[in-house]
């Protein structure tokens, strides 16, 4: 007997087809959306934008952190050694305060030891001027924390006498949050140690 209604099996088959079609379409759209988001995110990490004086958006290519790391690490070490060892009676407190921002407790412990040994008192007593003339570092950036070896040459001016010294220091570097202007490189010196200090012979 014929009725005005479709056979229930035909209706169920149609419903099943619609559900499968909708599910497939949703899956495809989701995958495409994820791929586009990942691609856009990668592009955003590799590029930055600046605004020109005319209001134009200018893309700027960013160098990866790995490529920048060695340059920043060497700059960090040079800055620290200049702060910590380029001192005189008038600036040693200001210089060491800046240096302490660039290192952890190992640097602070060395500072306190120098203070207890009377290093800074002698600067005041004899008006000594200790000036860094050279900072050369090597660093292994293949594995964190990054081990470094630094040779610092400095001179001590005693008025009519100028003596030159070579200091070997070692330690490691770790990443920390950048702190402007106190620690702009976002690196921290750890396990800092003064190995050898020798007087250089001058002609």
């Amino acid at each position: 007997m014929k009725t005005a209604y479709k056979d229930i099996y035909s209706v169920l088959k149609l419903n099943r087809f619609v559900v499968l079609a909708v599910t497939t379409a949703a899956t495809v759209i989701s995958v495409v959306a994820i791929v586009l988001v990942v691609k856009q995110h990668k592009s955003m990490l590799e590029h930055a934008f600046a605004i020109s004086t005319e209001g134009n958006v200018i893309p700027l290519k960013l160098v990866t952190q790995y490529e920048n790391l060695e340059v920043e690490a060497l700059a960090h070490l040079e800055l620290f050694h200049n702060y910590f060892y380029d001192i005189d009676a008038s600036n040693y407190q200001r210089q060491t305060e800046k240096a302490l921002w660039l290192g952890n407790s190992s640097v602070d412990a060395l500072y306190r030891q120098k203070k207890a040994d009377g290093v800074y008192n002698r600067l005041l007593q004899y008006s000594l001027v200790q000036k860094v003339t050279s900072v050369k570092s090597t660093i292994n950036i293949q594995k964190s924390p990054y081990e470094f070896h630094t040779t610092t040459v400095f001179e001590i001016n005693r008025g009519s006498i100028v003596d030159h010294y070579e200091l070997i220091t070692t330690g490691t570097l770790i990443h920390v949050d950048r702190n402007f202007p106190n620690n702009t490189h976002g690196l921290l010196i750890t396990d800092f140690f003064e190995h050898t200090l020798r007087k250089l012979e001058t002609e």
Side-chain angles (χ1 to χ4, degrees):
M1 182 175 64
K2 296 182 179 180
T3 65
Y5 300 98
K6 292 184 178 180
D7 184 81
I8 190 168
Y9 293 106
S10 299
V11 173
L12 290 176
K13 186 182 293 185
L14 178 61
N15 286 346
R16 183 182 178 186
F17 174 77
V18 171
V19 170
L20 288 176
V22 170
T23 303
T24 303
T27 302
V28 171
I29 292 173
S30 298
V31 171
V32 171
I34 291 172
V35 171
L36 291 176
V37 168
V38 170
K39 185 176 180 181
Q40 180 67 20
H41 178 68
K42 185 177 180 181
S43 178
M44 289 292 291
L45 289 177
E46 294 178 348
H47 296 80
F49 298 90
I51 306 299
S52 69
T53 54
E54 293 79 20
N56 298 320
V57 178
I58 305 171
L60 301 175
K61 185 72 175 179
L62 292 182
V63 182
T64 63
Q65 183 180 5
Y66 184 82
E67 292 172 331
N68 275 337
L69 178 58
E70 185 173 10
V71 175
E72 288 209 71
L74 293 175
H76 186 86
L77 292 170
E78 182 173 2
L79 188 63
F80 168 78
H81 284 80
N82 274 289
Y83 281 154
F84 203 64
Y85 297 106
D86 198 307
I87 53 177
D88 58 40
S90 64
N91 74 358
Y92 79 91
Q93 289 181 317
R94 183 172 64 254
Q95 289 285 87
T96 51
E97 182 180 347
K98 291 178 180 178
L100 290 174
W101 277 98
L102 307 181
N104 73 345
S105 58
S106 62
V107 175
D108 183 63
L110 180 60
Y111 165 68
R112 293 178 184 277
Q113 183 61 49
K114 286 178 177 289
K115 193 173 183 180
D117 291 343
V119 172
Y120 304 113
N121 284 337
R122 287 193 291 275
L123 283 176
L124 295 170
Q125 184 177 357
Y126 300 108
S127 298
L128 301 179
V129 176
Q130 182 172 294
K131 184 172 181 59
V132 172
T133 58
S134 173
V135 178
K136 295 181 179 179
S137 300
T138 57
I139 185 167
N140 180 9
I141 60 173
Q142 302 303 317
K143 182 181 178 182
S144 178
Y146 313 111
E147 297 180 354
F148 69 83
H149 178 283
T150 300
T151 301
T152 303
V153 177
F154 61 88
E155 60 184 32
I156 297 180
N157 190 319
R158 297 180 171 87
S160 59
I161 300 175
V162 178
D163 293 323
H164 295 80
Y165 295 87
E166 180 186 81
L167 174 67
I168 305 298
T169 56
T170 60
T172 56
L173 285 174
I174 61 174
H175 287 285
V176 294
D177 290 337
R178 294 179 189 268
N179 184 314
F180 296 91
N182 299 311
N183 188 338
T184 57
H185 296 114
L187 296 167
L188 192 72
I189 294 172
T190 62
D191 303 319
F192 187 67
F193 186 72
E194 290 184 343
H195 277 273
T196 60
L197 175 65
R198 70 183 182 93
K199 185 177 181 179
L200 300 176
E201 298 298 330
T202 57
E203 296 180 0

